[in-house]
Amino acid sequence: MSEQLEDDIIICRCEDIKLSEIRQSIADGNLSTEEIKRSCRCGMGPCQGRTCMPLVAQELAKATGKPLAEISLPTFRQPVAAISLGALAGGERHE
Amino acid sequence: MNDTADVVVIGGGIVGCATAYNLARLGAGKVVLLERDYLASGATGRCGAGMRMQWGTETNCLLSRESTRMLEQLPELLDVDIDIELKQGGYLLLAYTEKMAAQFKKNLQLQNSLGIPSRWVTPAEAKEIVPHLNTAGLLGATFCAKDGHCNPFKATAAYAKAAERHGVEIRTNSEVTGIEAECCRITGVKTRWGTISTPRVVVAAGGYSKQLGRMVGVELPIYPERHEILVTEPVEPMQDSMVMSFHHNLYCQQSPHGSFIMGIGHPDEPESFNTESSWQFLGEMARRLIEILPPLAGLNVVRQWAGLYDMSPDRQPILGPAGDVEGFHVAAGFSGHGFMIAPITGQIVAEKLLGLKTALPVELLDAGRFARGDLFVEPSVV
Ligand SMILES: Cc1cc2nc3c(=O)[nH]c(=O)nc-3n(C[C@H](O)[C@H](O)[C@H](O)COP(=O)(O)OP(=O)(O)OC[C@H]3O[C@@H](n4cnc5c(N)ncnc54)[C@H](O)[C@@H]3O)c2cc1C
């Protein structure tokens, strides 16, 4: 695939982040998944980075020359699945 | 290796970065910033991202007023090409009791006397500002249209970039494990990478500042306290203003990205370094929020987290030299509002360290005030 086409690949579907943005973030000096997440919101959407973070880790491994196993994934934040405030408040307001 | 610095700044949150930038800009020589993890990994990157000038003490009003002015033009001031996502949609502070209304009106007088454009609004006017506000039981509110939001990661990155341009060396992944002193003066700072010889340190380590003080026998009256927070999925813009209620002990703001960020305070939260999230928080947050902003019940929560407030006895920061070890400086004790006042704070700490005239009168902010008994506790904190 050409560099250009590759750059357009969407890595994070929730926040609509392209591969080029991940590469830019790494070039800006963000060398961990935590930092990349915070710099461009990748992995901050409803799926909590389930799809994108492994891809980001691969990019980081490529860029830093570290083995993939040494790239840690971001802290997993509750809740596991998106849940409405109404449901959290309890009972009757649940929609 | 001969590792030396003229000043070592400990902590890579917004305060450490802003301080390092100002030190270098004002001619402090070689400045090294040491951060345990990565920049903004502490309270800064976990905060509610809110900025307001509606405070109850003159010090907090001045610090926030000056900082707001700076945030309004931060990329130009720092000459960096980073959008800090500033949004000035205002802050609405709700009053539910006569006592609170009286305090708010007193605060307004103070704020207005300092040129802060805040005003009293009736429940009906409050509803115009936030149409989905439940005004039951509401006596009124104060509103300042210049209050708002900006992105903590971006603001920190902007300071870091500007600092590096002025020659600051930023070292992440570098936890300070010891501070060395000889005959009551600072001589060096230790990390696992080695020792940096330096005559001065600035501790900007948030909730960990007390720990760092203890490394040289300086006892700082600052303690860590967990605060929890959550964010919802992004939705269409529907709430320009932050809504804050000291009665419900909560705040809730829609970010420019569309998500709602909200948190509550806990009067019984113990002193600790705990930053775990709790299920209790989710339920309690949701119940209190829906009481005042009912339509938000339909929003989905996507993430919750927690961070540390670095509390001081009067809920105002300690800026400048502390203890009797020469060369030991502090910028901590922000008590939950250090992000919004970081721009002027960084400048004042640098000015003080370099013996320059400070931008604001800072007698009220020195570490000695507690011993002198000069306490005037900030009343308006969640
Ligand atoms: C949930 C929550 C909501 C908040 N909401 C707001 C808000 O809306 N508006 C606002 O203005 N403020 C808010 N605050 C407060 C604000 O986050 C802080 O006051 C501000 O970020 C302080 O910045 P700092 O740089 O002093 O501290 P921090 O960002 O905590 O930075 C300190 C840094 O020091 C590092 N460190 C600690 N020990 C060492 C060591 N031994 N060696 C090297 N580095 C070390 C840490 O890793 C950390 O990165 C909130 C805080 C929390 C927790």
Side-chain angles (χ1 to χ4, degrees), chain B residues 297-374:
Chain B
L299 294 181
N300 286 319
V301 176
V302 294
R303 195 165 57 249
Q304 69 172 132
W305 66 94
L308 299 177
Y309 277 18
D310 43 332
M311 299 302 295
S312 82
D314 61 358
R315 299 168 176 175
Q316 299 179 100
I318 300 173
L319 307 180
D324 16 283
V325 184
E326 206 183 308
F328 184 86
H329 295 250
V330 190
F334 291 100
S335 310
H337 53 279
F339 172 59
M340 65 183 84
I341 61 174
I344 195 68
T345 296
Q347 184 178 327
I348 290 175
V349 174
E351 287 166 341
K352 239 182 155 173
L353 185 141
L354 295 170
L356 304 172
K357 185 177 175 333
T358 51
L360 290 175
V362 285
E363 309 80 64
L364 289 168
L365 295 165
D366 79 334
R369 69 182 184 267
F370 305 109
R372 292 194 305 268
D374 282 351

Side-chain angles (χ1 to χ4, degrees), chain B residues 207-271:
Chain B
Y208 295 88
S209 299
K210 181 151 84 182
Q211 248 65 353
L212 285 148
R214 284 183 176 167
M215 291 177 184
V216 279
V218 175
E219 196 60 27
L220 298 170
I222 295 172
Y223 66 92
E225 182 181 283
R226 174 182 69 166
H227 280 251
E228 297 191 71
I229 181 163
L230 66 78
V231 65
T232 70
E233 63 194 341
V235 291
E236 290 299 309
M238 58 182 284
Q239 184 181 313
D240 274 343
S241 171
M242 168 74 101
V243 172
M244 197 164 214
S245 166
F246 301 119
H247 185 67
H248 300 86
N249 215 345
L250 75 73
Y251 59 87
C252 169
Q253 186 173 42
Q254 186 172 25
S255 75
H257 161 261
S259 53
F260 278 78
I261 299 171
M262 57 190 82
I264 50 179
H266 250 291
D268 303 327
E269 185 71 37
E271 168 175 350

Side-chain angles (χ1 to χ4, degrees), chain B residues 11 13-15 35-36 43-44 47-48 50 176 204 251 307 309 336-340:
Chain B
I14 184 133
V15 173
E35 162 55 43
R36 182 178 51 199
T44 299
C47 85
V176 170
Y251 59 87
Y309 277 18
H337 53 279
F339 172 59
M340 65 183 84

Side-chain angles (χ1 to χ4, degrees), chain A residues 30-91:
Chain A
N30 295 305
L31 297 181
S32 67
T33 53
E34 292 278 8
E35 287 164 274
I36 292 174
K37 166 179 160 186
R38 286 162 176 77
S39 75
C40 67
R41 311 195 51 83
C42 184
M44 284 190 166
C47 96
Q48 287 289 297
R50 280 189 191 78
T51 326
C52 62
M53 276 304 153
L55 300 173
V56 170
Q58 275 179 25
E59 269 313 300
L60 265 174
K62 251 195 270 171
T64 59
K66 279 193 202 163
L68 190 56
E70 277 179 28
I71 311 265
S72 56
L73 294 176
T75 311
F76 189 74
R77 304 283 188 203
Q78 292 159 336
V80 178
I83 178 166
S84 78
L85 284 161
L88 286 167

Side-chain angles (χ1 to χ4, degrees), chain B residues 54-86:
Chain B
Q54 297 182 75
W55 289 101
T57 67
E58 181 171 352
T59 308
N60 276 331
C61 285
L62 289 172
L63 290 169
S64 60
R65 185 192 73 189
E66 289 312 302
S67 293
T68 301
R69 285 181 185 160
M70 293 161 85
L71 288 167
E72 282 172 348
Q73 39 174 326
L74 199 67
E76 295 80 26
L77 270 180
L78 301 181
D79 191 18
V80 293
D81 186 21
I82 291 179
D83 175 10
I84 63 165
E85 296 168 19
L86 180 79

